[in-house]
Amino acid sequence: RRSPESACHAGSAMTTISDLPEDVLVELLSLVPARALLGACRLVCAQWRDVVDLATLWKRKCQREGFDSQARDRSISDWKVFYMLCHLRRNLIKNPCAEENFQHWKLDNNEGDKWKIEAMPGAHGTEIPVPKVHKYFVTSYGPCLKSQLITLQKEGYGNQLMDEKRPEIVVKDWYAARFDCGCCYELTVRLLSQDYIVLEEFHPAPVVIEQWNDAKWREITHTFRGYPAGVRHIWFQHGGQDTQFWAGWYGIRVTNTSITIGPFTL
């Protein structure tokens, strides 16, 4: 009579995870977090390294997390990079809607009666067509400018990713005037090197809004593409003032600022 052990050995050899068909291994590894895939699974053996490097694995991860819908009809040349950019994607501007007072903002110019925060819609104003936004920053009769400096490495965007893939950098901002006062809106966005050298800049002509305007909120947007290698920081500055020099807060109103990266690359 054979023992259970000998009966087991008499059959086929015990199957390990490495014996699984490639499509099954792809399916299993697609459940593993990206950091573990690249930092651990890829180092297990040559077979796992090759599977982790497969475009089909990263495309499957994109499908699992709903990122593939963002691809729409654009062709994706590198599904791993596409996944990473989708996973990282968020607004890099902190406190964009004045919910935390002036935290995270540097007040570069704060003249007249200085910057102030008001609730929507404000005096002689209108509601912004973005339901989640309830407050805005407003300027005075003297120049009012505020800025944020984003360090990409701290936000998870490594030097190699930025230099080799150069993903799209999308900037958006909303501005509005009071109905009863004219004002001016200014915007500057710079892509900076490690040593803060300007590699590319978006600085449109100031927008001048006349008195007795419609007070509607308007969005300005710009996408950086094909910028030089070496981008390590993004500097954003906006603001303005009223054009009639009235005491109080009759200048430009700004809110719902955003800077996002990717997920599309060149």
Side-chain angles (χ1 to χ4, degrees):
R1 184 179 178 182
R2 293 183 297 173
S3 66
E5 292 80 3
S6 62
C8 179
H9 290 303
S12 58
M14 183 176 290
T15 302
T16 69
I17 192 170
S18 298
D19 296 320
L20 293 172
E22 185 179 274
D23 58 334
V24 176
L25 193 55
V26 165
E27 190 69 18
L28 288 173
L29 290 179
S30 70
L31 296 167
V32 177
R35 186 182 295 272
L37 276 176
L38 297 172
C41 297
R42 196 176 182 277
L43 307 179
V44 169
C45 63
Q47 181 198 19
W48 280 37
R49 179 200 63 207
D50 294 342
V51 171
V52 169
D53 289 345
L54 285 173
T56 51
L57 182 144
W58 295 98
K59 186 173 183 178
R60 185 71 185 99
K61 286 188 70 64
C62 287
Q63 291 169 340
R64 283 188 180 282
E65 299 185 36
F67 296 154
D68 60 318
S69 62
Q70 298 182 39
R72 297 186 293 275
D73 55 354
R74 295 180 63 161
S75 60
I76 305 301
S77 59
D78 190 326
W79 280 97
K80 179 167 70 174
V81 170
F82 181 76
Y83 174 85
M84 292 299 183
L85 289 171
C86 287
H87 189 71
L88 284 169
R89 193 174 188 273
R90 65 198 184 283
N91 187 2
L92 299 179
I93 291 288
K94 297 176 175 62
N95 186 26
C97 304
E99 293 294 345
E100 302 172 75
N101 198 14
F102 288 99
Q103 189 173 348
H104 305 294
W105 290 99
K106 180 175 182 287
L107 304 183
D108 304 313
N109 288 81
N110 200 20
E111 300 182 25
D113 283 325
K114 303 182 178 181
W115 281 98
K116 186 185 178 184
I117 292 169
E118 295 179 344
M120 290 283 178
H124 297 282
T126 60
E127 292 282 356
I128 192 171
V130 184
K132 66 174 183 175
V133 180
H134 306 294
K135 295 181 181 180
Y136 57 82
F137 303 94
V138 59
T139 61
S140 184
Y141 62 86
C144 292
L145 295 167
K146 62 185 178 69
S147 65
Q148 282 193 37
L149 179 68
I150 298 164
T151 299
L152 295 172
Q153 190 86 47
K154 290 181 180 178
E155 302 296 339
Y157 296 92
N159 298 348
Q160 184 178 1
L161 175 66
M162 296 305 299
D163 290 350
E164 293 183 4
K165 301 303 179 180
R166 302 184 202 180
E168 295 176 350
I169 300 174
V170 182
V171 180
K172 296 182 179 182
D173 198 25
W174 286 79
Y175 64 91
R178 287 174 58 119
F179 162 74
D180 59 345
C181 188
C183 61
C184 176
Y185 166 77
E186 298 180 45
L187 172 67
T188 305
V189 188
R190 293 172 179 161
L191 306 186
L192 306 175
S193 71
Q194 186 65 43
D195 298 324
Y196 305 100
I197 296 168
V198 179
L199 300 179
E200 196 156 315
E201 179 179 84
F202 175 62
H203 181 56
V207 177
V208 178
I209 303 173
E210 301 296 331
Q211 188 181 24
W212 314 124
N213 58 83
D214 60 13
K216 286 185 178 179
W217 285 91
R218 289 172 169 82
E219 183 184 37
I220 184 170
T221 182
H222 177 74
T223 301
F224 289 97
R225 297 185 180 94
Y227 47 84
V231 173
R232 301 293 178 262
H233 312 277
I234 303 172
W235 183 75
F236 176 96
Q237 183 191 66
H238 67 175
Q241 64 185 99
D242 84 55
T243 53
Q244 290 165 247
F245 304 99
W246 291 352
W249 297 273
Y250 290 82
I252 199 71
R253 302 166 171 185
V254 292
T255 194
N256 202 35
T257 307
S258 69
I259 295 179
T260 54
I261 297 183
F264 299 110
T265 62
L266 295 178

